[in-house]
Amino acid sequence: SLLLVLFLLSPQGSVGWSCPPRCVCASNLLSCSQANLSAVPAPLPRFTAVLDLSHNNVTRLRADWAPARLPHLHALLLSHNGLAFVSTEAFTNVPRLRHLDLSSNRLRTLDENLFSDLGELEVLLLYNNEITTVDRTAFENLGQLRKLYLGQNRIARFPLELLREGTRLPQLALLDLSANRLRAVPASELQALPAWLRDRLYLHNNPLACDCPLFQLLARGHRRHLSAVVDFQDELRCVMPGTPTPIRILALAGRQPLNCSEAQEAVLEAHLGDNVMLGCDSRWQGVRSRHWVTPGGERVLGDGGNDSAVLLANGSLQLRALRPEDAGTYTCWVAGPLLNETLYVELLVHNFTLHGPHDTLNTAYTTLVGCILSVVLVLIYLYLTPCRCCCCRGTEKPPAPRDDSINSSVLSTTPNHAAGTGDPGASRVTSGAGTGQNGRFKGGGTPTMPPRQGPKVQRKVSDPDSVSSVFSDTPIVV
């Protein structure tokens, strides 16, 4: 009786169990590969965990291929079948599937919500098909998907919705888009992805157009030793305008006509008083621990280290109110699940008087003051310098009385009149007079008085140290 009970409880002793024709059954594994099948054999044992149907002629996967629920099935292999149609309800009865291989078939489109019933799926192989269109909802509800292979298809548009914000496929760690028809990729958005995803983002063997953002993206990946770049650097090629032969993307540095500059990895610029965030962009997922070391050798742990440097929960280092001594190279030490990694971030702190927004204000203020001073000097020269040109002599007004002369009584440092009431011209003695600039006579001499011809031509001669000397030869200090 005991042997009978054990037989009935064993998988082979289950009621109604039998291995499908042309299949090999080993415990909960069913191998029906290369059996020349045109449809999925039925019925399938309920305890089936692995079902291999590869290398057959199953061209259509309908909703009824598994009429009964298969709660233990976690691997389904359907490669090399010429499969051209998959029903959107084909996976309703296999909700525990974790590995699905649909590679090397004839699939052309991935329809809406095609895999939405596979909430536990981890690996999806779709390479070597004829896929041209990927519906934006084809991978909905795949919260556990870690590896997605879409290589060797005909995809011309990058499915950015698979990566944006990490909400659609939060666990995705590998995305293979190699050997497709991609001509452009959003390099700036891909650079913002975490390094552990960029490490497994394969873009080789695509007819990408050459540009500097693409070069910068891959050059940084090469410097970080990302496997998707290092392992396939010869296959990462792009098409230059007017050049039929693709060239290596990493060879674009300094090459005409693009002349792309070398990429700098983790260089951050800031100004005094700013608050900045230094990211620890590790290649490892599931990091156990990490810490930072400042340029001064101070170790910043989870408790913050000091008032200006704080280690955040995501591994980033926050620096508050930057000072000149905060500049330098910061080091992030990461303890990964397999290996450790060391990252370096160079911080450049600029003085705001040289590189800050106040520079514009200071420059504008200096320019305005210079303009005002220039206008003042021009006005002084035009309106306060005496006219000594010949055309002005005939139109001058008669001089004021001798005792009211502002030139001699106010501004002159030397008395303008000799003692007595005689002729002013006769009271002066000309000795050693020499002609100076603008028709003036230098100190030590006075001009010779012209003969009088009437009251209208009578002029009072100013001393050489009077108004003309003050406003013409003396430097003006503002």
Side-chain angles (χ1 to χ4, degrees):
S1 300
L2 180 60
L3 293 176
L4 178 61
V5 171
L6 293 176
F7 177 77
L8 293 176
L9 291 177
S10 64
Q12 290 80 2
S14 300
V15 177
W17 180 90
S18 62
C19 188
R22 292 179 286 183
C23 295
V24 177
C25 301
S27 183
N28 57 359
L29 188 151
L30 275 68
S31 177
C32 304
S33 179
Q34 300 181 7
N36 198 25
L37 299 175
S38 58
V40 179
L44 293 172
R46 188 173 182 272
F47 56 82
T48 302
V50 177
L51 177 59
D52 184 2
L53 295 171
S54 61
H55 296 276
N56 282 289
N57 297 314
V58 183
T59 59
R60 301 176 68 85
L61 191 65
R62 302 180 182 274
D64 58 353
W65 73 272
R69 190 176 181 88
L70 300 175
H72 302 286
L73 186 66
H74 63 78
L76 176 60
L77 312 179
L78 282 165
S79 62
H80 298 279
N81 270 280
L83 191 64
F85 170 79
V86 177
S87 172
T88 55
E89 300 178 354
F91 307 107
T92 302
N93 288 329
V94 287
R96 309 297 297 273
L97 207 61
R98 298 196 304 270
H99 184 100
L100 176 60
D101 185 359
L102 297 175
S103 62
S104 300
N105 283 294
R106 296 179 181 176
L107 297 175
R108 295 185 178 182
T109 61
L110 300 181
D111 296 328
E112 180 180 2
N113 296 315
L114 180 59
F115 306 105
S116 59
D117 292 325
L118 302 177
E120 298 183 14
L121 191 64
E122 298 178 2
V123 180
L124 177 57
L125 286 75
L126 291 166
Y127 63 87
N128 194 25
N129 275 278
E130 302 173 5
I131 300 173
T132 59
T133 305
V134 179
D135 190 272
R136 61 187 307 270
T137 64
F139 304 101
E140 287 286 348
N141 301 327
L142 298 185
Q144 301 299 320
L145 188 65
R146 298 179 56 252
K147 299 180 181 180
L148 176 58
Y149 295 86
L150 287 168
Q152 300 183 42
N153 279 285
R154 302 176 183 177
I155 301 174
R157 187 188 69 84
F158 182 78
L160 186 61
E161 59 272 9
L162 303 181
L163 308 174
R164 184 180 289 118
E165 300 176 359
T167 56
R168 191 176 301 272
L169 299 174
Q171 301 296 326
L172 189 64
L174 184 151
L175 176 59
D176 180 13
L177 291 168
S178 62
N180 274 279
R181 298 180 179 179
L182 299 175
R183 296 185 179 275
V185 294
S188 59
E189 297 188 39
L190 294 182
Q191 180 61 36
L193 296 175
W196 53 263
L197 180 53
R198 283 185 282 125
D199 188 34
R200 311 292 292 278
L201 176 60
Y202 298 95
L203 296 171
H204 55 278
N205 290 332
N206 275 285
L208 298 169
C210 295
D211 58 32
C212 289
L214 176 63
F215 165 75
Q216 298 280 353
L217 173 68
L218 298 180
R220 291 190 184 100
H222 189 269
R223 183 173 285 105
R224 293 286 304 276
H225 303 287
L226 302 185
S227 59
V229 179
V230 175
D231 296 343
F232 298 94
Q233 53 184 312
D234 292 333
E235 288 80 14
L236 283 166
R237 296 179 173 269
C238 63
V239 180
M240 189 81 75
T243 304
T245 304
I247 63 174
R248 292 177 64 248
I249 298 177
L250 295 178
L252 288 178
R255 182 165 181 170
Q256 298 297 333
L258 297 180
N259 194 24
C260 299
S261 60
E262 289 288 348
Q264 292 184 346
E265 177 66 18
V267 177
L268 182 63
E269 298 188 30
H271 300 88
L272 292 179
D274 289 351
N275 297 334
V276 298
M277 192 88 65
L278 308 182
C280 188
D281 192 16
S282 174
R283 289 185 296 163
W284 305 118
Q285 199 175 9
V287 174
R288 297 195 306 269
S289 64
R290 70 185 87 197
H291 68 272
W292 286 83
V293 177
T294 65
E298 180 182 359
R299 184 171 179 175
V300 183
L301 300 174
D303 55 359
N306 56 44
D307 295 335
S308 61
V310 178
L311 180 62
L312 304 181
N314 61 359
S316 300
L317 183 67
Q318 184 181 40
L319 301 177
R320 302 170 182 172
L322 288 179
R323 304 162 298 175
E325 56 268 25
D326 291 331
T329 302
Y330 291 77
T331 307
C332 180
W333 300 85
V334 179
L338 299 176
L339 298 173
N340 297 335
E341 185 178 12
T342 305
L343 305 176
Y344 301 95
V345 179
E346 183 180 358
L347 177 63
L348 305 178
V349 180
H350 299 300
N351 191 327
F352 72 89
T353 58
L354 298 177
H355 300 276
H358 301 276
D359 295 343
T360 304
L361 178 61
N362 292 338
T363 303
Y365 178 75
T366 304
T367 304
L368 178 61
V369 172
C371 292
I372 294 176
L373 291 177
S374 300
V375 172
V376 170
L377 292 176
V378 171
L379 293 177
I380 290 175
Y381 179 80
L382 292 177
Y383 291 99
L384 296 182
T385 302
C387 178
R388 297 214 178 251
C389 57
C390 59
C391 60
C392 302
R393 296 178 183 272
T395 59
E396 289 184 351
K397 295 182 180 181
R402 186 175 293 109
D403 55 353
D404 295 334
S405 174
I406 188 174
N407 294 332
S408 57
S409 61
V410 177
L411 297 176
S412 178
T413 59
T414 305
N416 197 36
H417 307 288
T421 58
D423 186 357
S427 63
R428 297 175 180 267
V429 179
T430 302
S431 61
T435 304
Q437 191 179 11
N438 296 329
R440 301 190 196 90
F441 284 85
K442 296 181 180 180
T446 57
T448 305
M449 290 295 297
R452 296 188 180 183
Q453 299 179 2
K456 292 186 177 180
V457 297
Q458 181 178 359
R459 290 177 55 88
K460 180 170 60 177
V461 181
S462 300
D463 189 79
D465 293 330
S466 62
V467 175
S468 61
S469 298
V470 173
F471 287 100
S472 298
D473 296 336
T474 304
I476 298 175
V477 180
V478 178

